[in-house]
Amino acid sequence: MLWWLSEKKYNIMSQNSTNCLETKKFFVKKTLRFFFKKYWVWFSNPFDIKGASAVNFFSYDDLEISGFIKKKAITSIIDLTKSEDELWQGIRKKYSRKPIEDGYKAGVVVKQDEEFGEFERIYKSFRKQKNIIADDLSIFSQGMLFSAYYKNKMIAGHIFVGDGKYMRSLVAASNRFDFEKGKDRRMVGAANRILFWEAIKHAKERGYESFDLGGITSPNESGEYDSLAEFKMSFGGELRPCFYYFKLYSRLIKWFMKMRGFNV
């Protein structure tokens, strides 16, 4: 299996074009497995990709495009045209600002990292503890990894993707399950908040317009959000719809998925 993910300009031939290449700038992930080619495209409205078996797109635009299945979701977007002080003041004081300050004082250090091996170990352990299937982390190896260190040990990491306008949280994990209640476990919580804050500053410094916290689950029947959603909303973003588009080209896979009860 070959995976890659990169922020570059790619020449991808649209099935609707006539022997011409359409050049788009976006984050692309391509999966090759035998003769099955699947593309993930972020920050782009959907279009057909010649030679693909399946395509997935992430977009902020609500569109009706023939052949594509659309799924609506919610995310939290931070306006990076605000000053750094405005962004800081927009963070809930007790919920996130205070833990960020405490983390810095205790010695939590964040850096843009290349230690994907150590992050993968933390990620797989974290997902196992939460009974969630872990993805192959090699698909994220060209994304931006921000890691938090405490007592010279990586305790959390977040991976982000961006297209120059939007920067979005893609995956996050920590080793908080390795600690009982106490200061070390509190530092993991602080580290996760510092990671977001450092990524927000990084995006703003490089001219990004918006920072996407990576999706939020809908509230329950009582209008309450889960703890992860509350954590993300504590950074002061604006709730906004986002959309996933999916199209399957492979007749064999279509038949298999229909047999499994999927609407394709």
Side-chain angles (χ1 to χ4, degrees), residues 125-130 174-180 185 188:
S125 175
F126 180 79
R127 302 280 281 199
K128 184 178 180 180
Q129 291 281 353
K130 294 179 72 70
S174 70
N175 63 357
R176 64 185 174 92
F177 295 111
D178 293 352
F179 302 106
E180 300 294 334
R185 184 148 185 172
V188 174

Side-chain angles (χ1 to χ4, degrees), residues 109-123:
V109 176
V110 168
K111 63 180 181 179
Q112 198 169 345
D113 213 344
E114 295 183 358
E115 294 294 334
F116 282 91
E118 178 60 15
F119 175 72
E120 183 171 10
R121 184 194 66 77
I122 291 173
Y123 172 79

Side-chain angles (χ1 to χ4, degrees), residues 99-100 102-103 106 108 110 122 126 148-150 153-158 172-180 182-196 231:
I100 289 171
D102 291 344
V108 174
V110 168
I122 291 173
F126 180 79
Y149 289 81
Y150 179 59
K153 179 181 178 182
M154 186 190 295
I155 59 172
H158 294 190
S174 70
N175 63 357
R176 64 185 174 92
F177 295 111
D178 293 352
F179 302 106
E180 300 294 334
K183 183 177 180 180
D184 286 348
R185 184 148 185 172
R186 289 198 304 273
M187 286 303 102
V188 174
N192 278 311
R193 289 163 170 81
I194 293 173
L195 282 166
F196 265 133
F231 166 72

